[in-house]
Amino acid sequence: MGLTLNSTAFRAWTQLCAEALSVARAEIDALNVFPVPDGDTGTNAYLTFVSGADAVNALPRGTELPDLVKAYVDGLLTGAKGNTGVILSQLVRACFSDLDLASTVTASDIAASFVAAADAAYAAVGVPVEGTILTVARAAAVGATEAAEAGIDGRTVFGKAANSARVALARTPEQMELLARAGVVDAGGRALVVVLDATEQALTGRVPEKVSAPVPVPVLVPGDDLSADGPSYEVMYLLDADDDAIPELRAKLLPLGDSLVVVGGDRLWNIHVHVDDVGAAVEAGIAAGRPYRITVTHFADQIAQRPKGGRVVIAATTGAGLTALCEEAGALPLEFTREAPLTVAAMSASLKNSGADEIIVLPNNYRYIGQFEAAAQAARQDGIRVAVIPTTAQVQGLAALAVHDPGLGYDEVVVAMSSAAAHTQHGAVTIATEPGMTMVGPCKPGDVLGVIAGDFAVVGNDVFDVTVEVLDRILSPGGEMVTVVLGEGGADGVGAHLTEHLRQARPDVDLVVYDGGQENYPLFIAVE
């Protein structure tokens, strides 16, 4: 049984891969000991796949599948970051170049594409090393081939390939002494497994189990060079050159250092190499064609800029679902309920026990902002950088977490997260438990109350009607995404109800519904 590819599924897959790498990137960064222990493999893989997804998103709906695929592989190539990002871009490029997108894809076709991808990745690397992403890619190809030869259907072939990759990843420490000493699997291989797992999930709905847990990697003390026997600089550039100029370019770059990867074709190439002589690496590109978007990274400076204790985001959460969402986004949750509110002592302990040198706090409740600031003051006296972003709602915290990028500098991240929180319009729905007076008049027990920006702004008797009124008030013309978080007592069918409402009123807006499990508020609503 073959697979029929289509534009809608392809778009969704590109997003799923980027999202999966977003969740796993901190773990992958922590595994990064080869070829350079600079702790950025996960971030580089994530940024590479975001570049591909962005290229697809830039094309209008209705774009044909071949054009989407071309934009995607070119986006991966031009946006590839680091050694792993470049190799991943080549794997995807070679995989799709071997598929006939206009016909049904058979199990044999899929297996052949995996083989072509592995071959292309090995060919792109100057000196292939086993126990790396290359080994994992080859194992996936072998698994896919064996499955196809056994007569298994196309979807299952992907699952077999992904499983073979997971097994190979677990064995990488047996193939490289450096990994064995550090007690980690290969970071690049882990990134490839995440992509394969996301693909299997897209095709089958199954969520494969993780292979490895995060393992901290010691931060090196920078000196004049990264190490006594390793190059000091990473040089990357895009190159406009004829294909026949590439062999000579490889020959010139190979003696200059290590980690040489050259990928691309049709006059678009991505060059990656670790060297001591930056000028010679660039001059080789000039001799071959026109290098552009040249980036040079000094490894020792990069490591020196990274805080020794790392960075952590602490988020105050209420409800098991919201806690889980924050954990999935990489935050350290600090749970509270009406019966067990947070104390300054608990806040101070969370800052102290995090072990981080950089901390970002999301109070997610107006009562906790000042208390977290007091705890932060004490932590700052110990030399810890702490930023308290004044989020007053859980959904503001989720919006801030969505833009947190471990690969960016602390100040830049704080600004981005603060901006995301501030630009998130938020509301909620709750049920009155006693008589009272609101800004729009009196309410009695059992009334449905709509909250906008912290104030009771709607009084009604139907959850759906009040929810829609709150949504319509906070949904600006520029709003693109509505997030609804269901709490205890959340009305059944609210997702379908709001989907139908938005389909008629704002078909340009996407809707996401989460199960938050928060008490007191059946619904939290956010507009971004």
Side-chain angles (χ1 to χ4, degrees):
M1 179 179 177
L3 292 174
T4 302
L5 306 180
N6 62 74
S7 299
T8 300
F10 181 79
R11 284 181 182 271
W13 173 74
T14 65
Q15 291 295 326
L16 184 61
C17 288
E19 290 166 4
L21 286 168
S22 174
V23 172
R25 61 180 169 175
E27 172 201 343
I28 299 171
D29 283 343
L31 298 171
N32 180 195
V33 298
F34 177 85
V36 175
D38 48 356
D40 63 359
T41 295
T43 298
N44 287 339
Y46 166 69
L47 293 175
T48 299
F49 276 76
V50 166
S51 178
D54 286 348
V56 171
N57 285 338
L59 296 178
R61 296 290 173 179
T63 300
E64 296 295 329
L65 180 61
D67 293 329
L68 291 179
V69 172
K70 176 65 165 59
Y72 186 61
V73 297
D74 285 352
L76 291 176
L77 181 67
T78 58
K81 305 293 183 184
N83 187 69
T84 294
V86 174
I87 294 175
L88 285 169
S89 73
Q90 180 72 342
L91 284 167
V92 176
R93 187 183 190 90
C95 188
F96 277 105
S97 67
D98 207 54
L99 289 176
D100 183 359
L101 302 176
S103 62
T104 300
V105 178
T106 67
S108 296
D109 295 332
I110 295 168
S113 72
F114 271 94
V115 172
D119 289 344
Y122 271 89
V125 176
V127 181
V129 176
E130 296 302 328
T132 65
I133 184 174
L134 299 178
T135 307
V136 177
R138 180 66 74 199
V142 171
T145 300
E146 292 176 348
E149 291 175 348
I152 293 176
D153 66 88
R155 283 182 171 81
T156 306
V157 166
F158 272 105
K160 294 294 185 181
N163 183 67
S164 296
R166 290 192 289 272
V167 172
L169 174 65
R171 293 176 177 170
T172 53
E174 301 171 12
Q175 299 170 287
M176 187 186 300
E177 184 181 355
L178 181 61
L179 298 177
R181 287 203 310 266
V184 299
V185 296
D186 179 65
R190 174 67 179 129
L192 175 56
V193 166
V194 169
V195 173
L196 293 175
D197 285 351
T199 304
E200 180 183 1
Q201 180 183 348
L203 292 172
T204 67
R206 294 191 300 270
V207 181
E209 294 182 2
K210 290 170 55 177
V211 170
S212 59
V215 179
V217 177
V219 177
L220 300 183
V221 177
D224 294 333
D225 199 341
L226 182 67
S227 65
D229 56 357
S232 301
Y233 299 92
E234 176 187 61
V235 178
M236 292 188 67
Y237 51 83
L238 298 179
L239 180 68
D240 178 6
D242 292 329
D243 293 4
D244 56 13
I246 301 305
E248 183 177 353
L249 173 64
R250 290 179 188 271
K252 289 182 178 179
L253 292 175
L254 193 57
L256 295 180
D258 58 33
S259 298
L260 173 63
V261 186
V262 179
V263 302
D266 298 326
R267 300 197 62 84
L268 176 60
W269 299 88
N270 192 314
I271 314 301
H272 172 282
V273 66
H274 295 173
V275 297
D276 284 318
D277 191 342
V278 174
V282 176
E283 289 170 2
I286 294 173
R290 181 178 66 87
Y292 59 103
R293 280 174 51 178
I294 301 169
T295 61
V296 178
T297 301
H298 187 214
F299 293 124
D301 289 345
Q302 184 183 43
I303 291 174
Q305 293 171 0
R306 186 178 302 112
K308 294 180 181 179
R311 180 191 304 159
V312 68
V313 179
I314 295 176
T317 61
T318 178
L322 282 164
T323 298
L325 287 173
C326 288
E327 286 179 326
E328 290 172 6
L332 178 65
L334 196 58
E335 295 185 70
F336 68 91
T337 64
R338 181 171 56 183
E339 289 73 23
L342 294 179
T343 65
V344 175
M347 297 173 188
S348 297
S350 71
L351 301 183
K352 181 179 180 180
N353 296 336
S354 70
D357 288 338
E358 295 179 348
I359 301 174
I360 300 171
V361 178
L362 301 171
N364 297 337
N365 189 306
Y366 74 91
R367 298 184 184 90
Y368 293 149
I369 295 174
Q371 294 173 321
F372 266 117
E373 279 289 2
Q377 277 296 105
R380 293 182 187 119
Q381 293 176 4
D382 294 330
I384 301 173
R385 301 184 73 185
V386 184
V388 179
I389 297 176
T391 53
T392 61
Q394 297 284 314
V395 286
Q396 280 186 304
L398 293 177
L401 278 173
V403 300
H404 177 247
D405 187 342
L408 297 179
Y410 181 75
D411 293 335
E412 187 176 357
V413 164
V414 170
V415 170
M417 294 178 71
S418 299
S419 177
H423 288 86
T424 298
Q425 302 298 316
H426 59 93
V429 175
T430 188
I431 307 298
T433 57
E434 58 185 35
M437 180 62 67
T438 73
M439 62 182 293
V440 291
C443 69
K444 61 182 183 298
D447 281 347
V448 182
L449 305 180
V451 184
I452 297 178
D455 292 322
F456 293 114
V458 181
V459 177
N461 53 28
D462 184 86
V463 171
F464 288 147
D465 291 343
V466 172
T467 299
V468 168
E469 185 166 351
V470 170
L471 175 59
D472 288 345
R473 289 199 193 183
I474 64 176
L475 182 53
S476 64
E480 299 177 347
M481 169 73 76
V482 173
T483 300
V484 173
V485 182
L486 301 178
E488 294 178 358
D492 293 335
V494 68
H497 185 83
L498 291 180
T499 297
E500 178 61 23
H501 173 71
L502 288 173
R503 187 183 68 80
Q504 297 182 15
R506 289 291 302 275
D508 58 311
V509 174
D510 294 324
L511 172 67
V512 179
V513 180
Y514 295 114
D515 185 3
Q518 69 273 8
E519 60 182 6
N520 302 327
Y521 288 90
L523 293 166
F524 287 142
I525 308 170
V527 175
E528 301 173 57

